[in-house]
């Protein structure tokens, strides 16, 4: 899901691009053929959402070397901005039932609201970045974690109820199913509810990849590798960190909006630090510093947790023998053990720092 | 006025003492390994769960409590050996990720064992009894906590300043490599640190959960984070700093929780403002302010960066 573009486009890049287009075509075809209730689509939708969020976190942790743990906070802001501005007017009375229909009395188109979600998240990132980005590694981690907790508390404040609905749920806003094309009677003619999230996430990730390969991106990687040397080469540390922090938060905000669409409801209390940890672990499994790795591991992670490993949570019988240990929660234990093994023994993750085109290059090199 | 504030102040001091016991674990580990042990809050929670299961087996309390503390210390030791020792020469970010992984694992393990339900903490006779002090009625544990905390802290400071292992700890936290060259067994010093930290977290968990009654897999996260903030506030690496920071945070947090009632009763406001929502947020706001204004905390030593 990346485009390398610019100057000379190598064969490996073309192969990767074709592969990505092929994935999109397959998604489109699968959606028309398979029943829309299939587990596959749940995984694909959530996977696309997590892929974007994981890549945005990787931009900070993997490419800029800022160990930020505020992702859940920015996702929360994005999800709320999207939800608040897209709930249809006719539904506001029932959603904001304790606050007389809320104070926002207009709606924005879906895509405008998504971009706004990103912008608001980026604005907050700008503000919080001013003090926090001057801190060193682990202090920065804990300060951004604290920021996410503050955001969570503020959004649940009763006095902000007319805007955020207090600690109550936001719902009734357009979700992924609204992307399906329907005929006059409301029958779905073309299913797009999986393809569109793929496209949104794909475009955003492509933008991040372009940024990483630009001059700014190289400056960011220089900061990651050695702050002092980078500063000596004339890179303004603070400006570049702030830029990376805002951009990452922008996409985390858009990702939050997508998560809201996936869940169809939003509630501030679900955006805990555990959510940030989960995304961080996805990034680690994929390989810190690899966009491709983050994307692959997002889909793997979501597929395992929602689909493939579900059987671990239920009683299984082999003949008359009941498999021991299997009961609610066992899936997560297996998961945690796998993650610890990756963290301790395979620190490079799935991809290390390699990207998709590198895979084809290597194979070509082996042949000649 | 005083009659309204006093109960909040009292529970603030008590919670502060419990945070202090956790915060020491953070500050000692950070002092030696320069690692934020994200799993420490979960060790505290696991201590609560162990207590529930051990006391359910019907053993008398005077056996239960030492066992809980022993097991907690053992868990701290094992975590260090399994998850941090193999990464001793790895970049700091890897160790921190490993700590987050341990926290995730402990929470999921407890979720699996308990089925994700709130577990009732056993009642410990005497300290669960009610007592009335002036205008406030509270459990005896509230009164006992600050004294016990101060007693343990004094014992710990004596240990660090007067014994051989304490001297080794101080040496390792000053300079990791040099102390290794001087013949100090780094691994045993680090293990001792984790054992002491977990021991105090175990004691803290008995006091804390006697007050709050239920344990669930996420109960350790918030007290853990707050204790960490307390450690940073007091100057990370400094034990008295962590204790004072913890008491300040505990007190202010509880005052904010009761702010609505206090302001209402003293006639400043006519309607409640819902300020209690911010009792958690306050801690983190304080953290960010401290980090920006005085990153070394109240008692922290100034660290110099070498190029």
């Amino acid at each position: 899901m990346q485009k390398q573009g610019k100057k000379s486009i190598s064969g490996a890049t073309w192969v990767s691009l074709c592969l990505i287009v092929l994935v999109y075509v397959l998604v489109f075809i699968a959606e028309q053929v398979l029943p829309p209730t299939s587990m596959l689509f749940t995984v694909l939708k959530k996977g696309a959402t997590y892929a974007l969020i994981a890549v945005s976190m990787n931009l900070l942790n993997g490419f800029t070397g800022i160990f930020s743990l505020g992702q859940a906070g920015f996702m929360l802001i994005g999800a709320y901005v999207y939800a608040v501005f897209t709930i249809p007017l006719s539904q506001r009375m029932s959603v904001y039932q304790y606050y007389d229909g809320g104070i926002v009395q207009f709606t924005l188109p879906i895509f405008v609201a998504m971009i706004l979600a990103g912008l608001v998240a980026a604005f907050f990132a700008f503000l919080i970045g001013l003090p926090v980005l001057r801190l060193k590694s682990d202090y920065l981690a804990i300060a951004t974690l604290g920021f996410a907790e503050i955001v969570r508390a503020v959004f649940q404040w009763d006095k902000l109820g007319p805007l955020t609905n207090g600690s109550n749920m936001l719902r009734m806003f357009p979700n992924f199913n609204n992307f399906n094309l329907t005929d006059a009677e409301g029958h779905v003619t073309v299913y797009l509810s999986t393809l569109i999230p793929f496209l949104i996430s794909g475009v955003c990730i492509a933008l991040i990849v372009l940024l990483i390969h630009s001059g700014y991106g190289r400056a960011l990687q220089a900061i990651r590798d050695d702050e002092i040397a980078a500063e000596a080469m004339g890179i303004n540390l603070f400006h570049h960190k702030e830029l990376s922090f805002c951009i990452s938060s922008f996409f985390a905000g858009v990702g939050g909006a997508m998560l809201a669409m996936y869940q169809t409801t939003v509630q501030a209390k679900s955006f805990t630090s555990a959510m940030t940890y989960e995304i961080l672990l996805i990034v680690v499994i994929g390989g810190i510093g690899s966009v491709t790795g983050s994307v692959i591991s997002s889909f793997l992670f979501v597929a395992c947790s929602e689909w493939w490993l579900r059987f671990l949570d239920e009683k299984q019988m082999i003949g008359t023998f009941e498999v021991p240990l299997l009961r609610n929660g066992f899936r997560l234990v297996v998961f945690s053990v796998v993650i610890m093994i990756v963290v301790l023994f395979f620190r490079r993750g799935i991809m290390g720092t390699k990207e998709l085109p590198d895979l084809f290059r290597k194979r070509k090199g082996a042949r000649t | 006025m005083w009659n309204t504030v006093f109960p909040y102040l009292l529970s603030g001091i008590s919670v502060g003492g419990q945070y202090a016991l956790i915060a020491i674990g953070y500050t000692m580990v950070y002092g030696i390994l320069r690692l934020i042990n994200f799993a420490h809050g979960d060790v505290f929670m696991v201590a609560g769960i162990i207590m529930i299961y051990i006391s359910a087996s019907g053993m008398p309390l005077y056996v239960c409590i030492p066992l809980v503390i022993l097991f907690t210390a053992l868990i701290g030791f094992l975590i260090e050996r399994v998850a941090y020792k193999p990464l001793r020469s790895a970049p700091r970010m890897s160790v921190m990720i490993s700590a987050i992984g341990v926290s995730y694992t402990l929470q999921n393990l407890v979720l699996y064992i308990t089925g994700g339900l709130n577990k009732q903490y056993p009642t410990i006779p005497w300290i669960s009894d009610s007592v009335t002090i002036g205008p406030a009625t509270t459990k005896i544990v509230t009164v006992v906590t600050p004294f016990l905390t101060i007693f343990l802290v004094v014992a710990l400071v004596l240990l660090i300043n007067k014994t051989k292992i304490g001297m080794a700890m101080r040496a390792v936290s000053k300079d990791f490599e040099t102390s290794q060259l001087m013949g100090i067994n780094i691994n045993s010093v680090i293990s001792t640190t984790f054992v002491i930290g977990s021991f105090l977290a175990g004691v803290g968990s008995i006091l804390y959960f006697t007050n709050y009654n239920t344990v669930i897999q996420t109960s350790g996260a918030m007290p853990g984070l707050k204790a960490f903030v307390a450690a940073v506030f007091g100057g990370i690496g400094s034990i008295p700093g962590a204790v004072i920071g913890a008491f300040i945070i505990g007190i202010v947090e509880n005052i904010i929780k009761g702010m609505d009632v206090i302001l209402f009763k003293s006639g400043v406001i006519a309607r409640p403002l819902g300020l209690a929502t911010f009792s958690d947020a306050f801690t983190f706001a304080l953290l960010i302010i401290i980090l920006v204004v005085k990153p070394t905390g109240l008692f922290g030593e100034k660290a110099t960066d070498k190029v």
Side-chain angles (χ1 to χ4, degrees):
Chain A
M1 217 171 281
Q2 58 254 158
K3 294 164 189 146
Q4 214 160 21
K6 273 178 118 184
K7 290 168 208 164
S8 62
I9 298 179
S10 66
T13 314
W14 279 116
V15 177
S16 322
L17 279 178
C18 292
L19 208 66
I20 292 159
V21 172
L22 184 71
V23 168
Y24 277 83
V25 172
L26 283 179
V27 167
F28 180 74
I29 295 172
E31 206 170 8
Q32 311 312 318
V33 178
L34 297 173
T37 48
S38 163
M39 204 58 209
L40 178 68
F41 298 116
T42 314
V43 169
L44 289 179
K45 285 172 198 169
K46 195 176 178 190
T49 309
Y50 268 50
L52 174 59
I53 298 164
V55 171
S56 80
M57 192 168 194
N58 206 343
L59 175 67
L60 276 183
N61 292 10
F63 290 97
T64 322
I66 302 175
F67 196 77
S68 157
L69 293 176
Q71 226 63 359
F74 298 115
M75 285 160 67
L76 189 156
I77 294 173
Y80 261 79
V81 170
Y82 171 78
V84 166
F85 287 108
T86 53
I87 296 172
L89 285 180
S90 53
Q91 308 288 1
R92 286 197 182 249
M93 232 22 223
S94 73
V95 174
Y96 286 92
Q97 50 181 331
Y98 304 110
Y99 300 100
D100 299 330
I103 49 164
V104 179
Q105 287 300 341
F106 59 92
T107 53
L108 294 173
I110 294 179
F111 287 104
V112 177
M114 285 185 93
I115 292 171
L116 187 68
L119 287 177
V120 174
F123 175 70
F124 275 93
F126 172 75
L127 290 184
I128 192 70
L130 288 176
V132 161
L133 287 176
R134 296 180 194 278
L135 302 169
K136 289 272 173 274
S137 61
D138 26 14
Y139 286 121
L140 191 138
I142 208 84
T144 44
L145 194 68
F147 162 74
E149 290 294 331
I150 295 174
V151 170
R152 202 155 66 94
V154 170
F155 273 70
Q156 293 188 60
W157 191 28
D158 195 48
K159 295 287 155 205
L160 281 178
L163 186 64
T164 63
N165 210 8
S167 55
N168 307 305
M169 213 178 248
L170 286 173
R171 56 203 163 84
M172 308 288 223
F173 48 81
N175 56 43
F176 287 148
N177 286 332
N178 291 49
F179 291 127
N180 289 334
L181 300 180
T182 51
D183 58 16
E185 283 130 49
H187 295 295
V188 180
T189 49
V190 184
Y191 284 100
L192 292 175
S193 63
T194 312
L195 190 67
I196 299 280
F198 259 68
L199 282 176
I200 299 170
S201 156
V203 168
C204 291
I205 292 172
L207 287 174
I208 295 177
V209 172
L210 286 179
L211 172 85
I212 290 170
H213 288 281
S214 71
Y216 273 115
R218 296 195 196 288
L220 297 182
Q221 287 167 57
I223 293 174
R224 170 195 64 187
D225 293 337
D226 192 332
E227 279 200 5
I228 294 160
E231 201 171 18
M233 296 317 255
I235 295 171
N236 185 331
L237 286 188
F238 181 70
H239 277 211
H240 280 82
K241 283 184 179 176
E242 183 83 320
L243 181 87
S244 163
F245 195 53
C246 289
I247 292 175
S248 163
S249 306
F250 175 86
F251 289 114
V254 175
M258 285 175 70
L259 191 68
M261 290 166 117
Y262 166 77
Q263 292 176 335
T264 69
T265 55
V266 176
Q267 205 168 11
K269 74 171 183 199
S270 66
F271 290 81
T272 55
S273 48
M275 192 180 240
T276 309
Y277 293 167
E278 209 169 84
I279 295 157
L280 176 71
L281 295 172
I282 290 179
V283 173
V284 172
I285 293 172
I288 298 176
S290 164
V291 174
T292 318
S294 295
V295 174
I296 295 174
S297 84
S298 302
F299 282 101
L300 271 181
F301 188 92
V302 173
C304 289
S305 65
E306 303 278 323
W307 191 12
W308 295 340
L309 292 183
R310 277 279 165 198
F311 73 92
L312 289 175
D313 273 5
E314 282 144 29
K315 281 203 179 111
Q316 302 288 328
M317 306 290 279
I318 303 175
T320 51
F321 171 72
E322 191 189 319
V323 185
L325 295 174
L326 297 189
R327 82 182 130 92
N328 202 13
F330 191 62
R331 174 178 54 107
L332 287 169
V333 175
V334 172
F335 236 73
S336 325
V337 173
V338 171
I339 285 168
M340 281 316 290
I341 291 172
V342 171
V343 169
L344 288 176
F345 304 110
F346 303 96
R347 248 179 290 154
R348 296 178 50 76
I350 300 173
M351 297 292 284
T353 51
K354 287 203 199 81
E355 296 294 356
L356 192 55
D358 297 332
L359 295 181
F360 302 113
R361 248 177 236 136
K362 204 177 176 186
R363 207 175 290 162
K364 225 167 72 185
R367 227 180 285 147
T368 49
Chain B
M1 180 69 186
W2 174 245
N3 287 356
T4 348
V5 177
F6 185 71
Y8 293 108
L9 193 66
L10 196 64
S11 63
I13 292 173
S14 164
V15 172
Q18 289 145 13
Y19 288 165
L21 291 176
I22 316 173
I24 292 170
Y26 277 109
T27 215
M28 285 178 72
V29 168
Y30 192 92
I32 288 187
L33 283 182
R34 298 280 175 270
L35 158 76
I36 300 176
N37 182 9
F38 278 99
H40 195 59
D42 298 292
V43 170
F44 165 81
M45 174 271 298
V46 168
I49 292 288
I50 294 177
M51 178 69 181
I52 288 168
Y53 279 90
I54 290 188
S55 75
S57 70
M59 266 186 268
L61 270 175
Y62 56 85
V63 183
C64 280
I65 294 176
L67 266 183
V68 168
I69 293 173
L70 191 74
F71 275 124
T72 317
L74 187 69
I75 288 171
F77 172 76
L78 286 178
I79 289 175
E80 195 276 323
R81 277 293 144 105
V82 173
Y84 304 146
K85 198 178 163 220
L87 299 175
R88 196 100 347 128
S89 56
R92 253 159 98 185
M93 206 197 240
S94 306
V95 194
M96 206 147 48
I97 290 168
S98 180
I100 289 175
V102 172
S103 154
Y104 188 75
T105 310
L106 286 179
Q107 286 190 16
N108 286 338
L109 212 58
V110 170
L111 169 77
Y112 172 62
I113 292 167
T114 61
L117 301 171
N118 262 318
K119 288 279 172 183
Q120 194 68 32
Y121 203 75
T123 328
I124 300 173
W126 191 64
I127 65 168
S128 296
D129 295 347
S130 288
V131 64
T132 308
I133 306 163
T137 305
T138 176
K139 287 180 180 173
I140 290 182
V141 67
T142 318
V143 189
V144 170
T145 304
F147 293 105
L148 187 61
T149 306
I150 289 172
F151 170 73
L152 287 171
V153 169
V154 170
L156 180 65
V157 170
L158 283 178
L159 176 89
I160 288 176
N161 288 333
K162 302 283 178 193
T163 64
K164 206 171 173 187
I165 183 77
M167 197 197 282
M169 281 178 178
R170 280 180 288 145
V172 174
S173 71
K174 276 269 185 269
D175 192 325
F176 205 89
E177 272 114 30
T178 312
S179 51
Q180 217 166 1
L181 292 172
M182 296 294 148
I184 294 173
N185 184 346
I186 291 274
N187 288 328
S188 78
V189 171
I190 292 173
S191 292
T192 315
T193 313
F194 272 84
V195 166
I196 292 175
S198 309
F199 164 82
L200 294 175
V203 177
S205 102
I206 293 173
L207 300 172
Y208 181 87
F209 289 119
T210 301
N211 230 351
Y212 285 84
N213 294 327
T214 58
V215 190
I216 194 168
Q217 73 271 7
T218 49
S219 346
M222 213 21 110
L225 279 174
K226 282 182 186 158
F228 177 76
V229 176
V232 174
F233 184 54
I236 198 141
S238 147
I239 290 171
V243 174
I244 291 171
F247 276 114
I248 292 176
I249 284 180
I251 292 168
V252 179
E253 177 194 304
N254 271 280
I255 298 277
I256 290 179
K257 256 182 208 162
M259 193 56 99
D260 267 5
V261 183
I262 295 167
L263 289 180
F264 182 72
K265 286 209 178 155
S266 55
V268 180
I269 51 167
R271 274 186 317 133
L273 290 172
L275 290 173
T277 327
F278 291 107
S279 67
D280 290 349
F282 151 77
T283 315
F284 296 105
L286 180 76
L287 171 77
I288 293 176
I289 293 168
I290 275 288
L291 285 179
V292 172
V293 179
K294 198 169 186 307
T296 49
L298 293 178
F299 299 92
E301 286 170 32
K302 182 108 184 74
T304 43
D305 272 342
K306 282 175 239 160
V307 178

